[in-house]
Coordinates of all heavy atoms in Angstrom, one line a residue:
Chain A
Q86 N 108.7 87.4 120.0 CA 108.5 86.3 120.9 C 107.4 85.3 120.4 O 107.6 84.1 120.5 CB 108.0 86.9 122.2 CG 108.0 85.9 123.4 CD 107.4 86.5 124.6 OE1 106.5 87.4 124.5 NE2 107.8 86.1 125.7
N87 N 106.4 85.8 119.8 CA 105.3 84.9 119.4 C 105.2 84.8 117.9 O 104.1 84.6 117.4 CB 104.0 85.5 120.0 CG 103.9 85.3 121.5 OD1 104.5 84.3 122.0 ND2 103.4 86.3 122.1
D88 N 106.3 85.1 117.2 CA 106.2 85.1 115.7 C 106.0 83.7 115.2 O 105.4 83.5 114.1 CB 107.4 85.7 115.1 CG 107.4 87.2 115.3 OD1 106.4 87.7 115.6 OD2 108.5 87.8 115.1
Y89 N 106.5 82.7 115.8 CA 106.4 81.3 115.3 C 105.4 80.5 116.1 O 105.5 79.3 116.2 CB 107.8 80.6 115.3 CG 108.8 81.3 114.4 CD1 109.6 82.3 114.9 CD2 108.8 81.0 113.0 CE1 110.5 83.0 114.1 CE2 109.7 81.7 112.2 CZ 110.5 82.7 112.7 OH 111.4 83.3 111.9
I90 N 104.4 81.2 116.6 CA 103.5 80.5 117.5 C 102.6 79.5 116.8 O 102.1 78.5 117.3 CB 102.6 81.5 118.3 CG1 102.0 80.9 119.5 CG2 101.5 82.1 117.4 CD1 101.5 82.0 120.5
D91 N 102.5 79.7 115.4 CA 101.7 78.7 114.7 C 102.5 77.4 114.4 O 101.9 76.4 114.3 CB 101.1 79.3 113.4 CG 102.3 79.8 112.5 OD1 103.3 80.1 113.1 OD2 102.0 79.9 111.3
I92 N 103.8 77.6 114.5 CA 104.6 76.4 114.2 C 104.9 75.7 115.6 O 104.7 74.5 115.7 CB 106.0 76.8 113.6 CG1 105.7 77.5 112.3 CG2 106.9 75.6 113.4 CD1 106.9 78.0 111.6
L93 N 105.4 76.5 116.5 CA 105.8 75.9 117.8 C 104.7 75.8 118.9 O 104.9 75.2 119.9 CB 107.0 76.7 118.4 CG 108.2 76.8 117.5 CD1 109.2 77.8 118.1 CD2 108.9 75.5 117.3
G94 N 103.6 76.4 118.6 CA 102.6 76.4 119.6 C 101.6 75.3 119.4 O 101.9 74.3 118.7
P95 N 100.4 75.4 119.9 CA 99.4 74.4 119.8 C 98.9 74.2 118.3 O 98.5 73.1 117.9 CB 98.2 74.8 120.6 CG 98.4 76.2 121.0 CD 99.9 76.5 120.8
G96 N 99.0 75.3 117.5 CA 98.7 75.1 116.1 C 97.4 75.8 115.7 O 97.1 76.0 114.5
N97 N 96.6 76.3 116.7 CA 95.4 77.0 116.3 C 95.5 78.5 116.3 O 94.6 79.2 116.0 CB 94.3 76.6 117.2 CG 94.6 76.9 118.7 OD1 95.8 77.1 119.0 ND2 93.6 76.8 119.6
I98 N 96.7 79.0 116.7 CA 96.9 80.5 116.7 C 97.8 80.9 115.5 O 98.8 80.3 115.2 CB 97.6 81.0 118.0 CG1 97.0 80.3 119.2 CG2 97.6 82.5 118.1 CD1 97.7 80.6 120.5
H99 N 97.3 81.9 114.8 CA 98.1 82.5 113.7 C 98.8 83.7 114.2 O 98.2 84.4 115.0 CB 97.1 82.8 112.5 CG 97.8 83.1 111.2 ND1 98.3 84.3 110.9 CD2 98.1 82.3 110.2 CE1 98.9 84.3 109.7 NE2 98.7 83.0 109.3
P100 N 100.0 84.0 113.7 CA 100.7 85.2 114.2 C 99.9 86.5 114.1 O 100.1 87.4 114.8 CB 102.0 85.3 113.4 CG 102.2 84.0 112.9 CD 100.9 83.2 112.9
V101 N 99.0 86.5 113.1 CA 98.1 87.7 112.9 C 97.3 88.0 114.2 O 97.0 89.1 114.6 CB 97.2 87.5 111.7 CG1 96.0 88.4 111.8 CG2 97.9 87.7 110.5
K102 N 96.9 86.9 114.9 CA 96.1 87.1 116.1 C 96.9 87.7 117.3 O 96.3 88.2 118.2 CB 95.6 85.7 116.6 CG 94.8 85.0 115.6 CD 93.3 84.7 116.1 CE 92.5 84.0 115.2 NZ 91.9 84.9 114.1
T103 N 98.2 87.8 117.1 CA 99.0 88.4 118.2 C 99.2 89.9 118.0 O 99.9 90.6 118.8 CB 100.4 87.8 118.3 OG1 101.1 88.0 117.0 CG2 100.3 86.3 118.6
L104 N 98.7 90.5 116.9 CA 98.9 91.9 116.6 C 97.8 92.7 117.4 O 96.8 93.1 116.9 CB 98.7 92.2 115.1 CG 99.7 91.5 114.2 CD1 99.3 91.7 112.8 CD2 101.1 91.9 114.5
Y105 N 98.1 92.8 118.7 CA 97.1 93.4 119.6 C 97.0 94.9 119.5 O 95.9 95.5 119.7 CB 97.4 93.1 121.1 CG 97.5 91.6 121.3 CD1 98.7 91.0 121.8 CD2 96.5 90.7 121.0 CE1 98.8 89.7 122.0 CE2 96.6 89.3 121.2 CZ 97.8 88.8 121.7 OH 97.9 87.5 121.9
N106 N 98.1 95.6 119.3 CA 98.1 97.0 119.3 C 97.9 97.7 117.9 O 98.1 98.8 117.7 CB 99.5 97.5 119.8 CG 99.7 97.1 121.3 OD1 98.7 97.0 122.0 ND2 100.9 96.9 121.7
V107 N 97.3 96.9 117.0 CA 97.1 97.4 115.7 C 95.6 97.5 115.5 O 94.9 96.6 115.9 CB 97.8 96.4 114.7 CG1 97.3 96.6 113.3 CG2 99.3 96.5 114.7
P108 N 95.1 98.6 114.8 CA 93.7 98.7 114.6 C 93.1 97.5 113.9 O 93.8 96.9 113.1 CB 93.5 100.0 113.8 CG 94.8 100.7 114.0 CD 95.9 99.7 114.3
A109 N 91.8 97.3 114.1 CA 91.2 96.0 113.6 C 91.2 95.9 112.1 O 91.3 94.8 111.6 CB 89.8 95.9 114.2
W110 N 91.1 97.1 111.5 CA 91.0 97.0 110.0 C 92.4 96.8 109.3 O 92.4 96.7 108.1 CB 90.3 98.2 109.4 CG 91.0 99.5 109.6 CD1 91.9 100.1 108.8 CD2 90.8 100.4 110.7 NE1 92.3 101.3 109.3 CE2 91.7 101.5 110.5 CE3 90.0 100.4 111.9 CZ2 91.8 102.5 111.4 CZ3 90.1 101.4 112.8 CH2 91.0 102.5 112.5
I111 N 93.4 96.9 110.1 CA 94.8 96.8 109.6 C 95.4 95.4 109.9 O 96.3 95.0 109.2 CB 95.7 97.9 110.1 CG1 95.2 99.2 109.5 CG2 97.1 97.7 109.8 CD1 96.0 100.4 109.9
R112 N 94.8 94.8 110.9 CA 95.4 93.5 111.4 C 95.4 92.5 110.3 O 94.4 92.0 109.8 CB 94.5 93.0 112.5 CG 95.2 92.3 113.6 CD 94.3 92.1 114.8 NE 94.2 93.2 115.6 CZ 93.1 93.6 116.4 NH1 92.0 92.8 116.3 NH2 93.1 94.7 117.1
G113 N 96.6 92.1 109.9 CA 96.7 91.0 109.0 C 96.3 91.2 107.5 O 96.1 90.3 106.8
V114 N 96.3 92.5 107.2 CA 95.9 92.8 105.8 C 97.1 93.5 105.1 O 97.8 94.2 105.8 CB 94.7 93.7 105.6 CG1 93.4 92.9 105.8 CG2 94.7 94.8 106.5
S115 N 97.3 93.2 103.9 CA 98.3 94.0 103.1 C 97.6 94.5 101.9 O 96.8 93.9 101.3 CB 99.5 93.0 102.7 OG 99.0 92.1 101.8
G116 N 97.9 95.8 101.6 CA 97.3 96.3 100.4 C 97.6 97.8 100.3 O 98.3 98.4 101.2
N117 N 97.2 98.4 99.2 CA 97.4 99.8 99.1 C 96.4 100.6 99.9 O 95.5 100.0 100.5 CB 97.4 100.2 97.6 CG 96.1 99.9 96.9 OD1 95.1 99.6 97.5 ND2 96.1 99.9 95.6
E118 N 96.5 101.9 99.8 CA 95.7 102.8 100.7 C 94.2 102.6 100.4 O 93.4 102.5 101.3 CB 96.1 104.2 100.5 CG 95.6 105.1 101.6 CD 95.4 106.5 101.1 OE1 96.1 106.9 100.1 OE2 94.7 107.3 101.8
Y119 N 93.9 102.4 99.1 CA 92.5 102.3 98.7 C 91.8 101.1 99.4 O 90.7 101.2 99.9 CB 92.4 102.3 97.2 CG 91.0 102.2 96.7 CD1 90.1 103.2 97.0 CD2 90.6 101.2 95.8 CE1 88.8 103.2 96.5 CE2 89.3 101.1 95.3 CZ 88.4 102.1 95.6 OH 87.2 102.1 95.1
K120 N 92.5 100.0 99.3 CA 91.9 98.7 99.8 C 91.8 98.8 101.4 O 90.8 98.4 101.9 CB 92.9 97.5 99.5 CG 92.8 97.1 98.1 CD 93.6 95.8 97.9 CE 93.6 95.4 96.5 NZ 94.6 94.3 96.2
I121 N 92.8 99.4 102.0 CA 92.7 99.6 103.5 C 91.6 100.5 103.9 O 90.8 100.2 104.8 CB 94.1 100.1 104.0 CG1 95.2 99.2 103.6 CG2 94.0 100.3 105.5 CD1 95.5 98.1 104.5
L122 N 91.4 101.5 103.1 CA 90.3 102.5 103.4 C 88.9 101.8 103.2 O 88.0 102.1 104.0 CB 90.4 103.8 102.6 CG 91.5 104.7 103.0 CD1 91.5 105.9 102.2 CD2 91.4 105.1 104.5
L123 N 88.8 101.0 102.2 CA 87.5 100.3 102.0 C 87.2 99.4 103.1 O 86.1 99.4 103.6 CB 87.6 99.5 100.7 CG 87.5 100.3 99.4 CD1 87.6 99.3 98.2 CD2 86.2 101.0 99.3
R124 N 88.2 98.7 103.6 CA 88.0 97.8 104.7 C 87.7 98.6 106.0 O 86.8 98.2 106.8 CB 89.3 97.0 104.9 CG 89.2 95.9 105.9 CD 90.5 95.2 105.9 NE 90.7 94.5 107.2 CZ 90.4 93.3 107.5 NH1 89.7 92.6 106.6 NH2 90.6 92.7 108.7
K125 N 88.4 99.8 106.1 CA 88.1 100.6 107.3 C 86.7 101.1 107.3 O 86.0 101.1 108.3 CB 89.1 101.8 107.3 CG 89.0 102.7 108.5 CD 90.0 103.8 108.3 CE 89.9 104.8 109.5 NZ 90.9 105.9 109.4
R126 N 86.2 101.5 106.1 CA 84.9 102.0 106.1 C 83.8 100.9 106.4 O 82.9 101.1 107.1 CB 84.6 102.6 104.7 CG 83.2 103.1 104.5 CD 83.0 103.8 103.2 NE 83.1 102.9 102.1 CZ 82.9 103.3 100.8 NH1 82.6 104.6 100.5 NH2 82.9 102.5 99.8
K127 N 84.1 99.7 105.8 CA 83.2 98.6 106.1 C 83.1 98.3 107.6 O 82.1 98.0 108.1 CB 83.7 97.4 105.3 CG 82.9 96.2 105.3 CD 83.5 95.2 104.3 CE 84.7 94.6 104.9 NZ 85.3 93.5 104.2
M128 N 84.3 98.3 108.3 CA 84.3 97.9 109.7 C 83.8 99.0 110.6 O 83.2 98.8 111.6 CB 85.7 97.5 110.0 CG 86.1 96.2 109.4 SD 87.8 95.7 109.6 CE 87.7 95.0 111.2
L129 N 84.1 100.3 110.2 CA 83.7 101.4 111.2 C 82.3 101.8 111.0 O 81.7 102.4 111.9 CB 84.6 102.6 111.0 CG 86.1 102.4 111.4 CD1 86.8 103.7 111.3 CD2 86.2 101.9 112.8
A130 N 81.7 101.5 109.8 CA 80.3 101.8 109.7 C 79.4 101.0 110.7 O 78.4 101.5 111.2 CB 79.8 101.5 108.2
K131 N 79.9 99.8 111.0 CA 79.1 99.0 111.9 C 79.1 99.5 113.3 O 78.1 99.3 114.0 CB 79.7 97.6 111.9 CG 79.4 96.8 110.7 CD 79.7 95.3 110.9 CE 79.3 94.5 109.7 NZ 79.7 93.2 109.7
I132 N 80.2 100.2 113.7 CA 80.2 100.6 115.1 C 79.7 102.1 115.2 O 79.8 102.7 116.3 CB 81.6 100.5 115.7 CG1 82.6 101.4 114.9 CG2 82.1 99.1 115.7 CD1 83.9 101.6 115.6
G133 N 79.2 102.6 114.1 CA 78.6 103.9 114.2 C 79.5 105.1 114.0 O 79.2 106.2 114.6
M134 N 80.5 105.0 113.3 CA 81.4 106.2 113.0 C 80.7 107.3 112.4 O 81.0 108.5 112.8 CB 82.6 105.7 112.2 CG 83.7 106.8 112.2 SD 84.9 106.5 110.9 CE 86.1 107.7 111.3
P135 N 79.8 107.1 111.5 CA 79.1 108.3 110.9 C 78.4 109.2 111.9 O 78.3 110.4 111.7 CB 78.0 107.7 109.9 CG 78.5 106.4 109.6 CD 79.3 105.9 110.8
S136 N 78.0 108.6 113.1 CA 77.3 109.4 114.0 C 78.2 110.0 115.1 O 78.0 111.2 115.4 CB 76.2 108.6 114.8 OG 76.8 107.4 115.3
F137 N 79.3 109.4 115.5 CA 80.1 110.0 116.5 C 81.3 110.7 115.9 O 82.0 111.4 116.7 CB 80.5 109.0 117.6 CG 81.4 107.8 117.2 CD1 82.8 108.1 116.8 CD2 81.0 106.5 117.1 CE1 83.6 107.0 116.5 CE2 81.8 105.5 116.8 CZ 83.1 105.7 116.4
S138 N 81.6 110.6 114.6 CA 82.8 111.3 114.1 C 82.4 111.7 112.6 O 83.0 111.1 111.7 CB 84.0 110.4 114.1 OG 85.1 111.1 113.8
P139 N 81.5 112.6 112.5 CA 81.0 112.9 111.1 C 82.0 113.5 110.2 O 82.0 113.2 109.0 CB 79.8 113.8 111.3 CG 79.9 114.4 112.7 CD 80.7 113.4 113.5
T140 N 82.9 114.4 110.7 CA 83.9 115.0 109.9 C 84.9 114.0 109.3 O 85.2 114.0 108.1 CB 84.7 116.1 110.7 OG1 83.8 116.8 111.4 CG2 85.5 117.0 109.7
K141 N 85.3 113.1 110.2 CA 86.3 112.1 109.8 C 85.6 111.1 108.8 O 86.3 110.7 107.8 CB 86.8 111.3 111.0 CG 87.7 112.0 111.8 CD 88.8 111.2 112.5 CE 89.8 112.0 113.2 NZ 89.9 111.8 114.6

Side-chain angles (χ1 to χ4, degrees):
Chain A
Q86 194 186 27
N87 292 324
D88 285 344
Y89 296 95
I90 201 162
D91 56 337
I92 302 172
L93 300 174
N97 56 346
I98 313 173
H99 194 273
V101 161
K102 301 241 179 280
T103 61
L104 301 173
Y105 305 122
N106 295 331
V107 164
W110 64 89
I111 289 180
R112 214 171 278 150
V114 282
S115 67
N117 58 15
E118 194 205 340
Y119 182 58
K120 287 188 182 169
I121 303 275
L122 284 182
L123 284 177
R124 189 177 155 90
K125 181 178 179 180
R126 180 172 68 173
K127 188 175 68 171
M128 291 174 81
L129 291 185
K131 283 191 177 173
I132 61 165
M134 193 195 187
S136 55
F137 66 71
S138 189
T140 315
K141 289 211 171 118

